[in-house]
Amino acid sequence: MLALVGAGPAVAGPAAPTEPGSAAVPAGSATTAATPRLAGGAPVDSAATAAALARYWTPERMSKAISLDRIAGSPRAAQSKAGPTGKPGSTPPAEGRSDTVRPLVTESAAVGKVFFTNPSNGLNYTCSAGSLNSPSKQMLITAGHCVHGGSGGTWMTNWTYVPRYRSGARPFGTYAAKQFRTFNSWISSSDLGRDVAMVTTWPLNGNKVVNVTGGHGLSWNYSRTQAMTVMGYPGNRDGGQIQWACQGTTRAVGDGRIELQCDFGGGSSGGPWLREFNDANGLGYVNGAMSTLATGGWNRSSYFDDSVKAMFDAQGSVT
């Protein structure tokens, strides 16, 4: 089983207090939030620091960032076998500005490329993410291993998001992370069943990312068999420089997750798995996030249950 971005051993880092568990959601639902930092350790806690981070990500650094497949966690990493824990539900998507119309049907302004530095080796890496409509209008959804190295690891640094990145072009600018949130079971044991994260971003020139690009809705507790559109920046497609899409019907995995045979490699991690994708506006309902690549080209995602909705509720109003 391969994670879709490199995340080797790293020193432990600080974390914010853990959210208390709730009897209304399954075990393993507790999450932790943290303030993103620059590689030198300074917190990204002001618009000025966010601007400095945007300057760090030069076109050269972005072009050289690595999409690398590495084994995720240990062979004994915990697996949360999530299933429906209530009725299916969804939050609504939101359209962005009128100038976000896509030049290609396989591109969405509400999907972008993530760039960050792994403190374990100081190298720069890439992931994918999607904007998520929430009360803050500032949130993204991605994979847990795109924000934290998992068991024995720490929070990634220099973290930034470029909506609809294309061969170096940044049509809507560069959004710095303001706050991370992921599952405690990913942090402590690289639990692939909880390889999900949500990220609040800084506004850019006073503009919030969802208001600019639009934001997907969120779905949870749906059947594991769903018509899905998977989007992201796989390194084995055009070198990860162009957004790709894969469409098909998901199926259940024995460990509780879902899979689709897209053969998307490193760099696609964190890309949204979308129900009811609307090609007219590039929006859908996120019902998964790219996590791993198995043999035969089968990509896998955590199953979205009430725990993912609880994460949304905890992070969605953070500004």
Side-chain angles (χ1 to χ4, degrees):
M1 187 64 61
L2 302 177
L4 296 178
V5 67
V11 295
T18 300
E19 292 290 317
S22 169
V25 293
S29 64
T31 60
T32 291
T35 299
R37 294 178 179 271
L38 302 178
V44 184
D45 59 0
S46 69
T49 315
L53 178 56
R55 291 192 296 272
Y56 170 82
W57 285 108
T58 62
E60 182 179 15
R61 285 194 174 110
M62 285 186 168
S63 67
K64 292 182 177 179
I66 303 165
S67 300
L68 180 65
D69 294 343
R70 291 287 296 278
I71 295 174
S74 71
R76 297 183 180 180
Q79 297 285 320
S80 294
K81 294 187 178 181
T85 45
K87 293 181 179 179
S90 295
T91 59
E95 294 202 32
R97 300 187 321 214
S98 60
D99 61 353
T100 60
V101 175
R102 302 178 323 288
L104 296 177
V105 295
T106 53
E107 291 183 308
S108 169
V111 176
K113 193 165 182 174
V114 171
F115 299 86
F116 60 89
T117 303
N118 187 341
S120 68
N121 55 20
L123 298 178
N124 292 329
Y125 291 91
T126 68
C127 268
S128 301
S131 55
L132 193 60
N133 185 35
S134 76
S136 74
K137 304 296 184 181
Q138 295 172 231
M139 198 158 71
L140 311 174
I141 188 165
T142 187
H145 71 264
C146 295
V147 304
H148 191 283
S151 179
T154 190
W155 300 96
M156 303 304 179
T157 62
N158 290 339
W159 207 98
T160 195
Y161 170 75
V162 182
R164 210 176 75 193
Y165 174 92
R166 198 173 206 273
S167 300
R170 311 184 205 184
F172 308 110
T174 303
Y175 290 80
K178 188 173 187 179
Q179 189 176 88
F180 296 138
R181 184 177 294 273
T182 192
F183 286 106
N184 290 357
S185 58
W186 171 258
I187 294 170
S188 64
S189 56
S190 300
D191 180 356
L192 292 174
R194 295 295 185 205
D195 188 13
V196 183
M198 295 183 188
V199 179
T200 299
T201 59
W202 281 93
L204 179 61
N205 300 322
N207 297 312
K208 297 182 176 184
V209 65
V210 170
N211 291 337
V212 173
T213 67
H216 303 292
L218 179 74
S219 287
W220 62 95
N221 287 337
Y222 278 82
S223 164
R224 287 180 172 83
T225 304
Q226 291 287 318
M228 209 84 80
T229 298
V230 175
M231 308 190 82
Y233 290 82
N236 58 340
R237 302 285 190 274
D238 294 310
Q241 293 299 306
I242 297 174
Q243 191 181 123
W244 274 68
C246 167
Q247 293 182 314
T249 300
T250 58
R251 69 182 189 185
V253 182
D255 62 12
R257 295 185 291 161
I258 58 174
E259 65 179 6
L260 188 62
Q261 197 173 25
C262 293
D263 194 28
F264 279 5
S268 65
S269 282
W273 291 35
L274 300 163
R275 296 179 54 254
E276 299 182 9
F277 179 70
N278 181 346
D279 192 62
N281 60 17
L283 299 174
Y285 296 84
V286 184
N287 198 36
M290 184 70 81
S291 176
T292 60
L293 175 64
T295 57
W298 287 92
N299 289 113
R300 292 178 176 175
S301 164
S302 303
Y303 176 80
F304 277 24
D305 61 359
D306 280 332
S307 293
V308 176
K309 175 57 163 56
M311 182 190 288
F312 175 90
D313 291 340
Q315 194 64 28
S317 296
V318 174
T319 60

